[in-house]
Amino acid sequence: MVSIKDVAEHAGTSFKTVSRVINNDAGVREETRERVQAAIDALGYRPNSAARMMRNQKSGVIGFISDEVVTQPYAGELLLGAQEVASEHDKVLMVVNIEHDRKRQQRAIDMLLERRVEALVYASYYHREIELPQEMLQVPSVLVNCFTTEAVLPTFVPDEVQAGYDATRLLIEQGHTRIGMITLNPQIVAAQKRLEGYRRALDEAGIAFDAELIVRGEPRFDEPAESACVESAVGSLMALDKRPTALVCGKDEFAMQVYFLLARFGLQVGRDLAVTSFDNQRLIAPGLTPGLTTMELPHLEMGRAALRCLFNRMDDRSTRLIPFSPIVRESHRLKA
Amino acid sequence: MVSIKDVAEHAGTSFKTVSRVINNDAGVREETRERVQAAIDALGYRPNSAARMMRNQKSGVIGFISDEVVTQPYAGELLLGAQEVASEHDKVLMVVNIEHDRKRQQRAIDMLLERRVEALVYASYYHREIELPQEMLQVPSVLVNCFTTEAVLPTFVPDEVQAGYDATRLLIEQGHTRIGMITLNPQIVAAQKRLEGYRRALDEAGIAFDAELIVRGEPRFDEPAESACVESAVGSLMALDKRPTALVCGKDEFAMQVYFLLARFGLQVGRDLAVTSFDNQRLIAPGLTPGLTTMELPHLEMGRAALRCLFNRMDDRSTRLIPFSPIVRESHRLKA
DNA sequence: TCGATGAATGACAACGTTGTCGAACATTAA
DNA sequence: TTAATGTTCGACAACGTTGTCATTCATCGA
């Protein structure tokens, strides 16, 4: 590889002068600068970042550890937001997908620390508690879409309670009082907190909570995977004496299935049942008829916020709740 | 940061001996090795990869340039396959999303070359022709899911013709002879080649091609975005004197809409119309009833194959067609 | 003509590592 | 005992860069 010395020889200067030129340092005669620049272009010289890193003791790299952010639909936005802010600060992300694997996680962290990352981001694709790799305390770090029992790092998570509240409010405002909910696996944070938001919205509106209206759309971690879960959930709601007139779905996939399942009862979303949901999956939500009103997870914004935090050195250990965006289409209101 | 010299001092040896220990070089007395190891652990020493890179003239990094692989649903699998093979060879990927932006692309390439990547991967999220950044010829490179007019690099793309053929075959084998097709934007490769495969399957089965059965599900690049495109496509198919009994959909999203739209005509997928499609979007295909039979894009395999090619130094400029996987569910056959 | 001043440039060390070579020491054979 | 051999270890240079300091050279005022 061509080095600063080769350029110097070609330009007939000392290599230090070349260094000055590539760093735009003052104190180089214009004529010399041009001569050096010509040599750089002629030889196709590129500064060696490894050498720079050694001198400057800075890598310019931020480590991004994710369980499966990259492979999960829409969650990649998180990465996108992070990349955007990083590159504004002339940093690059080094992304490693560890796939929930302990060994890979350790290897990833070792590798990143050996590369002298200036900071670490740990991102989960779904909101959950994690066991913090202790090495993360050695460099400025943030958690995104995940958290630890005791808050030891700046943490950015979606505001699930608010989202549950908003999704329910949209229906209440349309006059509904019998509002069903198809929940996610109750062991995950989103399921619990969104239900909490749902109850808060009912309370506030003076609507009594009815446990019959809460049904599960997916199995618990310890239960066998079951494809018909949403089907039986919808079935049990429809079997009620007083059927719900509106439904909050735990995710857009549930909503999609609801659109289909309703047909069995001669019902239609948007005519007989109002629906809201969570995620705003681009593949599903806009393509349904009527378009699905859904709460979009703030992935992009979490990615951005986390990196801004790193650059602002706000290592205050606090947990920031990032709001969902309501994507209002038609499914939450009924047409006569 | 603690260096090899600090460790040496702590262990009472020369720093060269420490180097030998961390590299597992022969010729270190067991007792010395243990003493050094203890010092390493005590000080929390980690080798500085920048210094190693300088000495060894190797970065251990492979650059991965993508337009939007990360943000697009399922296409992240491509990245996953690449990462898998890379890490088998003790290399790390440095991923940069350039979002179809010329400047970002240039910045990304400069950055990667300055970091002395050992190879470059250029991946597009949808199969298309690209303009090759000339700098890619400076290091071993491969193209994934994209290609150049003149083949100058090893290229890995999905076998669209075969997929079109297979998707159609599945229906022909069920006895269908009136097979409609909802195509993607005809300006993209997938649309053209899959249609070619469709025609080949018909020819082979002795079924006459009928242009009326080919309708467009999405606008061309130069047309305004239109959400009702699939709707009118299905409408025109249903208005035919001889309606098709089977349908090949350009993507799972089309299929999803078809499931809904059919209801307007009192028809049902799986009873009145057999359907196949492309992509196997995890969010959609398994959740439809009946389950959608669809051709899965070989993203994972393309990622793997591309990196294997890099490691095998097979820079033969040839184009490798990677086969789709037929994901057979129920939608391609009709129940009485 | 001289020293003083400032601008332009170069010599050198250092960053942390590994390859090369030689030195020190122990062991073996004669 | 001596020489030969092998084992263990350290001194030194080099990788490509930038910061520090010194040197060269032209210019200027006295």
Side-chain angles (χ1 to χ4, degrees):
Chain A
M1 271 272 83
V2 29
S3 85
I4 210 178
K5 294 189 183 173
D6 303 313
V7 176
E9 190 175 355
H10 193 273
T13 69
S14 79
F15 65 91
K16 179 67 236 216
T17 299
V18 178
S19 168
R20 275 190 262 262
V21 171
I22 59 187
N23 290 295
N24 249 311
D25 284 355
V28 179
R29 215 173 346 137
E30 191 47 33
E31 184 262 332
T32 320
R33 185 179 298 276
E34 279 164 16
R35 199 153 35 89
V36 169
Q37 190 56 54
I40 289 178
D41 296 341
L43 300 180
Y45 165 78
R46 281 174 199 280
N48 181 324
S49 79
R52 285 186 154 171
M53 272 160 68
M54 264 200 41
R55 263 303 318 198
N56 305 338
Q57 304 285 60
K58 274 188 186 178
S59 64
V61 177
I62 292 176
F64 188 103
I65 301 175
S66 75
D67 45 17
E68 38 181 327
V69 166
V70 177
T71 43
Q72 289 301 329
Y74 74 121
E77 300 247 323
L78 210 161
L79 188 49
L80 210 64
Q83 210 169 57
E84 174 191 315
V85 177
S87 80
E88 280 169 13
H89 293 256
D90 284 312
K91 307 291 179 197
V92 207
L93 292 188
M94 185 156 253
V95 183
V96 194
N97 232 265
I98 57 174
E99 302 287 315
H100 303 286
D101 177 325
R102 268 305 231 280
K103 273 191 193 150
R104 282 204 224 187
Q105 174 171 304
Q106 190 58 50
R107 284 212 332 236
I109 290 183
D110 287 342
M111 184 275 287
L112 292 170
L113 289 178
E114 289 183 9
R115 288 185 187 271
R116 299 294 188 265
V117 289
E118 296 172 21
L120 277 175
V121 180
Y122 192 110
S124 168
Y125 99 93
Y126 76 96
H127 186 175
R128 67 189 176 101
E129 180 173 352
I130 60 159
E131 220 173 298
L132 190 72
Q134 288 306 305
E135 292 93 338
M136 286 189 68
L137 300 174
Q138 296 176 19
V139 293
S141 299
V142 292
L143 301 182
V144 187
N145 212 21
C146 56
F147 58 95
T148 50
T149 327
E150 296 172 54
V152 291
L153 287 177
T155 302
F156 295 83
V157 292
D159 190 346
E160 309 282 359
V161 177
Q162 180 68 38
Y165 175 91
D166 287 346
T168 313
R169 257 326 277 177
L170 277 167
L171 298 170
I172 291 176
E173 282 164 6
Q174 296 289 318
H176 296 279
T177 53
R178 288 290 285 171
I179 302 176
M181 187 176 216
I182 302 184
T183 70
L184 300 172
N185 174 351
Q187 294 165 297
I188 73 173
V189 181
Q192 296 155 12
K193 302 243 174 190
R194 289 175 192 172
L195 181 56
E196 189 183 328
Y198 165 92
R199 297 189 69 150
R200 184 175 299 176
L202 292 193
D203 278 359
E204 196 187 279
I207 303 171
F209 175 79
D210 181 349
E212 280 188 332
L213 289 172
I214 310 300
V215 292
R216 188 135 50 82
E218 64 186 10
R220 303 165 59 98
F221 289 127
D222 44 13
E223 292 171 347
E226 190 198 350
S227 60
C229 206
V230 175
E231 192 175 337
S232 56
V234 172
S236 67
L237 286 177
M238 291 302 129
L240 292 177
D241 288 343
K242 281 185 66 183
R243 282 182 180 169
T245 61
L247 188 53
V248 178
C249 297
K251 53 179 173 182
D252 292 349
E253 290 155 276
F254 291 173
M256 180 181 86
Q257 297 209 49
V258 166
Y259 274 65
F260 282 110
L261 292 166
L262 239 45
R264 298 195 188 168
F265 302 89
L267 303 177
Q268 261 183 36
V269 169
R271 194 190 63 191
D272 312 296
L273 189 80
V275 167
T276 60
S277 163
F278 301 88
D279 287 354
N280 192 30
Q281 295 281 10
R282 313 291 191 282
L283 288 172
I284 298 178
L288 295 176
T289 323
L292 181 60
T293 292
T294 184
M295 305 296 302
E296 181 173 297
L297 274 161
H299 280 119
L300 192 67
E301 197 43 53
M302 286 195 291
R304 286 197 188 120
L307 262 90
R308 283 199 213 101
C309 168
L310 281 177
F311 289 116
N312 296 343
R313 301 190 163 279
M314 308 188 301
D315 36 11
D316 52 12
R317 303 183 169 204
S318 75
T319 295
R320 239 74 45 99
L321 295 178
I322 314 291
F324 285 61
S325 308
I327 307 295
V328 177
R329 297 198 178 85
E330 297 85 35
S331 67
H332 70 292
R333 56 172 77 94
L334 299 184
K335 284 179 192 162
Chain B
M1 271 273 84
V2 29
S3 85
I4 211 177
K5 294 188 183 174
D6 302 312
V7 176
E9 191 175 356
H10 193 274
T13 68
S14 80
F15 65 91
K16 179 67 233 217
T17 299
V18 178
S19 168
R20 274 191 261 264
V21 171
I22 59 186
N23 290 293
N24 249 310
D25 284 356
V28 180
R29 223 179 330 146
E30 190 49 34
E31 185 261 336
T32 321
R33 186 179 296 275
E34 279 164 17
R35 200 151 35 88
V36 169
Q37 189 58 53
I40 289 176
D41 296 340
L43 300 180
Y45 165 78
R46 279 175 200 281
N48 180 321
S49 78
R52 286 185 153 172
M53 271 161 68
M54 262 198 43
R55 260 303 320 195
N56 305 337
Q57 304 284 57
K58 275 188 185 178
S59 64
V61 177
I62 292 175
F64 189 104
I65 301 174
S66 75
D67 45 18
E68 38 181 325
V69 166
V70 178
T71 42
Q72 289 301 330
Y74 76 119
E77 301 247 322
L78 210 160
L79 188 49
L80 210 62
Q83 213 170 53
E84 175 191 315
V85 177
S87 79
E88 279 169 14
H89 292 259
D90 284 311
K91 306 292 180 198
V92 208
L93 292 187
M94 185 156 253
V95 183
V96 194
N97 232 265
I98 56 173
E99 301 287 314
H100 303 284
D101 177 326
R102 267 304 231 278
K103 272 190 194 152
R104 282 205 224 186
Q105 174 171 305
Q106 190 58 50
R107 283 213 332 237
I109 289 182
D110 288 341
M111 184 274 287
L112 291 171
L113 288 178
E114 288 183 10
R115 287 184 187 272
R116 300 293 189 264
V117 289
E118 297 173 19
L120 277 174
V121 179
Y122 193 110
S124 168
Y125 99 93
Y126 77 96
H127 186 175
R128 66 189 178 99
E129 180 173 352
I130 61 160
E131 219 172 298
L132 191 73
Q134 288 306 304
E135 293 92 338
M136 286 190 68
L137 300 174
Q138 295 176 19
V139 293
S141 300
V142 291
L143 301 182
V144 187
N145 211 22
C146 56
F147 59 95
T148 50
T149 328
E150 295 173 53
V152 292
L153 288 178
T155 302
F156 295 82
V157 291
D159 190 347
E160 309 282 2
V161 176
Q162 180 68 38
Y165 176 89
D166 287 346
T168 312
R169 250 336 269 181
L170 278 168
L171 298 170
I172 292 176
E173 281 163 9
Q174 294 290 319
H176 296 279
T177 53
R178 289 287 288 171
I179 303 176
M181 188 176 216
I182 303 184
T183 69
L184 301 171
N185 174 350
Q187 293 166 297
I188 74 173
V189 182
Q192 297 155 11
K193 302 244 173 190
R194 290 175 193 172
L195 181 56
E196 189 184 329
Y198 165 92
R199 296 190 70 150
R200 185 176 300 177
L202 292 193
D203 278 358
E204 196 186 278
I207 303 171
F209 175 78
D210 181 349
E212 279 187 334
L213 290 172
I214 311 300
V215 292
R216 188 134 52 80
E218 63 186 14
R220 303 164 60 96
F221 291 128
D222 44 12
E223 292 170 347
E226 190 199 348
S227 60
C229 205
V230 175
E231 191 174 336
S232 56
V234 172
S236 68
L237 285 179
M238 290 302 129
L240 292 179
D241 287 341
K242 280 184 66 184
R243 283 183 180 168
T245 61
L247 190 51
V248 178
C249 298
K251 53 180 172 181
D252 292 349
E253 290 155 276
F254 291 173
M256 181 181 86
Q257 298 210 49
V258 166
Y259 275 64
F260 283 111
L261 293 166
L262 238 47
R264 300 196 186 166
F265 304 90
L267 303 179
Q268 261 183 37
V269 170
R271 193 189 64 189
D272 312 295
L273 190 79
V275 167
T276 59
S277 164
F278 301 88
D279 288 353
N280 192 31
Q281 295 281 10
R282 314 291 192 279
L283 288 173
I284 298 178
L288 295 176
T289 321
L292 182 60
T293 292
T294 183
M295 305 297 301
E296 181 174 298
L297 274 160
H299 281 117
L300 193 66
E301 197 44 51
M302 285 194 292
R304 286 197 188 122
L307 263 88
R308 283 199 213 103
C309 167
L310 282 177
F311 289 115
N312 295 343
R313 304 188 162 281
M314 307 189 301
D315 35 12
D316 52 10
R317 304 184 167 200
S318 75
T319 296
R320 238 75 42 102
L321 296 177
I322 314 291
F324 285 61
S325 307
I327 306 295
V328 176
R329 296 197 180 86
E330 297 85 37
S331 67
H332 71 293
R333 58 171 76 93
L334 300 184
K335 282 178 194 163

